[in-house]
């Protein structure tokens, strides 16, 4: 049972002969009736759904959505990290900005922008690209009716699988970013910090926070994708006065932004304790997860939640907006919200 499924799901990436059309669009049509993903020439799309080109363009959309947005909010992220690791000096959000500018000038708010850009660009590539890939694979495993009935679990599983690999790509740059932002006098740039960390702690310096990073990012991403998908479905069903097919591209992007912001608020709350541990763990060498948890205490793990809700809510909304805009601009197939298969409708009627 399993080998044929994996072979089918991987056909575009591993052994599809050049010029041969992908089987994934046909499989996807069978799983979710009403989502007609025909050949690109027939629909005016730039690629076939599920093809290697489609997944590659999703990776590009992920690079742009995550790399640009995280770099945009570096000042807020910097203050948030300092609130987490030094609450005695940085008492609240506004005080954190004031103290940082007083100590380092306005340029100090941009500390860590380079590792943020490169780290989250790599993360976004894996996060969005692999999410689309794993979603197709798991749909094939579940079958048509189960893919609809258990679609929330499908989103959770695909996003968790994607984020596992995305965090491995992110971890080195995340460690460098936090070190620059939270350790005074250590380093001011990526080129200065990376070799210094390597000399002092070796390769482990870049991956010592990988486990708490998984604990932070995997729940965050599961909430980000599952909540977003569900919000889009509910908005079109209960709020938007017309079907998605009748909405303009601009109207669809407004729905995307709204659903993304709602998902972002929940993401921030779910992942914040682990985020505090990551910040504290990367601040100083020789620390452990147990030691950090003991030092912070329960209440300490929630320091900086307000700024993070603002940051993550805005980030998540912008990321989905940019990602969906890339799909529109590149004429990529964009399936509508899920519909109940005809076979399941007949069973319910009986």
């Amino acid at each position: 049972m399993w080998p044929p499924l994996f072979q089918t799901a991987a056909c575009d990436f591993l052994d599809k002969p050049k010029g041969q059309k992908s089987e994934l669009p046909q499989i996807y049509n069978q799983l979710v009736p009403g989502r007609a993903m025909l050949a690109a020439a027939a629909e005016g799309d730039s690629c076939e759904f599920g093809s290697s080109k489609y997944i590659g363009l999703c990776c590009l959309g992920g690079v742009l959505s995550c790399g640009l947005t995280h770099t945009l909010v570096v000042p807020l992220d910097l203050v948030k990290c300092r609130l987490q690791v030094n609450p005695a000096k940085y008492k609240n959000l506004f005080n954190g900005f004031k103290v940082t500018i007083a100590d380092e000038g306005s340029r100090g708010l941009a500390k860590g922008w380079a590792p943020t850009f490169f780290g989250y660009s790599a993360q976004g590539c894996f996060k969005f690209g692999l999410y689309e890939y794993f979603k197709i694979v798991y749909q094939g495993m579940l079958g048509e009716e189960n893919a609809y009935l258990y679609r929330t679990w499908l989103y959770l599983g695909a996003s968790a699988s994607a984020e596992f690999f995305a965090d491995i790509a992110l971890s080195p740059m995340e460690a460098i970013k936090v070190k620059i932002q939270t350790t005074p006098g250590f380093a001011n740039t990526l080129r200065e910090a990376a070799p210094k960390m390597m000399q002092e702690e070796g390769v482990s310096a870049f991956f010592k926070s990988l486990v708490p990073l998984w604990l932070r990012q995997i729940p965050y991403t599961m909430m980000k994708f599952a909540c977003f998908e569900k919000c889009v479905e509910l908005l079109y069903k209960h709020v938007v006065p017309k079907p998605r097919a009748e909405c303009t591209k601009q109207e669809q992007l407004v729905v995307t932004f709204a659903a993304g912001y709602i998902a972002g608020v929940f993401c921030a709350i779910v992942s914040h304790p682990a985020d505090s541990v990551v910040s504290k763990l990367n601040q100083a060498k020789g620390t452990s997860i147990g030691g950090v948890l003991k030092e912070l205490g329960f209440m300490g793990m929630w320091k900086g939640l307000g700024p993070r809700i603002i940051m993550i809510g805005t980030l998540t909304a912008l990321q989905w907006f940019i990602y969906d805009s890339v799909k529109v601009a590149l004429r990529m197939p964009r399936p509508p919200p899920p519909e109940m298969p005809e076979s399941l409708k007949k069973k319910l009627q009986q």
Side-chain angles (χ1 to χ4, degrees):
M1 175 181 175
W2 300 115
L5 287 172
F6 282 107
Q7 184 179 0
T8 301
C11 63
D12 271 313
F13 302 92
L14 302 178
D15 55 8
K16 188 186 74 171
K18 186 175 181 181
Q20 181 178 324
K21 291 185 177 180
S22 167
E23 296 177 23
L24 288 174
Q26 287 76 15
I27 293 172
Y28 193 68
N29 289 339
Q30 294 169 8
L31 290 177
V32 188
R35 295 189 180 186
M37 294 295 166
L38 303 179
E43 291 287 346
D45 294 330
S46 62
C47 58
E48 296 177 49
F49 182 87
S51 66
S52 55
K53 181 179 179 181
Y54 175 83
I55 300 298
L57 292 178
C58 288
C59 289
L60 174 62
V63 168
L64 295 174
S65 66
C66 290
L68 295 177
T69 51
H70 277 276
T71 305
L72 180 67
V73 296
V74 161
L76 186 60
D77 183 44
L78 179 141
V79 173
K80 181 268 301 179
C81 287
R82 291 181 175 181
L83 281 170
Q84 291 171 325
V85 302
N86 193 355
K89 182 176 181 179
Y90 305 94
K91 303 183 186 305
N92 54 55
L93 179 61
F94 296 105
N95 176 259
F97 275 103
K98 183 179 178 181
V99 172
T100 299
I101 293 173
D103 289 349
E104 305 171 55
S106 57
R107 294 185 64 180
L109 293 172
K111 269 190 171 182
W113 74 266
T116 297
F117 174 75
F118 291 114
Y120 282 93
S121 292
Q123 186 211 36
C125 176
F126 285 92
K127 184 198 296 274
F128 283 91
L130 288 180
Y131 173 70
E132 300 283 2
Y133 173 71
F134 281 122
K135 193 161 65 166
I136 294 170
V137 172
Y138 296 159
Q139 282 173 336
M141 292 179 179
L142 289 172
E144 179 182 6
E145 294 179 3
N146 286 332
Y148 175 80
L149 289 173
Y150 303 107
R151 58 192 182 280
T152 299
W153 291 103
L154 175 69
Y155 305 145
L156 291 171
S159 57
S161 302
E163 189 61 36
F164 177 86
F165 296 101
D167 288 342
I168 297 173
L170 169 64
S171 184
M173 290 298 167
E174 177 74 359
I176 294 169
K177 173 189 78 77
V178 174
K179 195 75 171 178
I180 291 172
Q181 292 178 340
T182 61
T183 307
F186 180 79
N188 292 316
T189 65
L190 170 61
R191 287 185 298 176
E192 184 183 354
K196 197 171 180 180
M197 290 173 66
M198 185 68 179
Q199 184 179 10
E200 290 186 0
E201 301 181 66
V203 177
S204 63
F206 305 106
F207 293 98
K208 69 178 182 179
S209 64
L210 180 58
V211 172
L213 197 60
W214 277 329
L215 294 176
R216 180 189 83 182
Q217 288 297 133
I218 290 178
Y220 161 83
T221 301
M222 291 169 72
M223 182 67 73
K224 174 179 180 174
F225 282 88
C227 187
F228 171 79
E229 299 267 20
K230 196 64 179 177
C231 284
V232 168
E233 184 180 337
L234 292 174
L235 286 172
Y236 278 113
K237 186 176 181 179
H238 299 291
V239 179
V240 180
K242 54 186 176 181
R244 174 171 156 168
E246 298 176 15
C247 295
T248 65
K249 299 299 183 184
Q250 291 74 19
E251 290 170 338
Q252 291 179 24
L253 290 175
V254 169
V255 174
T256 295
F257 186 86
Y261 210 101
I262 295 169
V265 173
F266 287 101
C267 288
I269 296 170
V270 166
S271 61
H272 189 74
D275 181 66
S276 297
V277 174
V278 169
S279 296
K280 194 70 177 176
L281 198 61
N282 283 318
Q283 182 192 25
K285 60 182 179 181
T287 54
S288 66
I289 297 175
V292 168
L293 289 172
K294 186 176 180 180
E295 180 182 348
L296 288 174
F298 178 77
M299 295 305 297
M301 289 191 293
W302 296 97
K303 286 283 186 181
L305 178 60
R308 193 157 191 270
I309 286 177
I310 298 171
M311 182 183 79
I312 297 300
T314 306
L315 270 179
T316 306
L318 286 175
Q319 283 174 6
W320 279 114
F321 184 84
I322 292 171
Y323 183 66
D324 224 23
S325 296
V326 169
K327 284 189 170 183
V328 171
L330 298 179
R331 296 182 294 107
M332 297 171 62
R334 298 169 64 243
E339 300 173 3
M340 184 181 293
E342 290 298 326
S343 60
L344 189 56
K345 290 179 181 178
K346 292 177 180 178
K347 286 182 181 180
L348 291 174
Q349 289 172 357
Q350 292 174 356

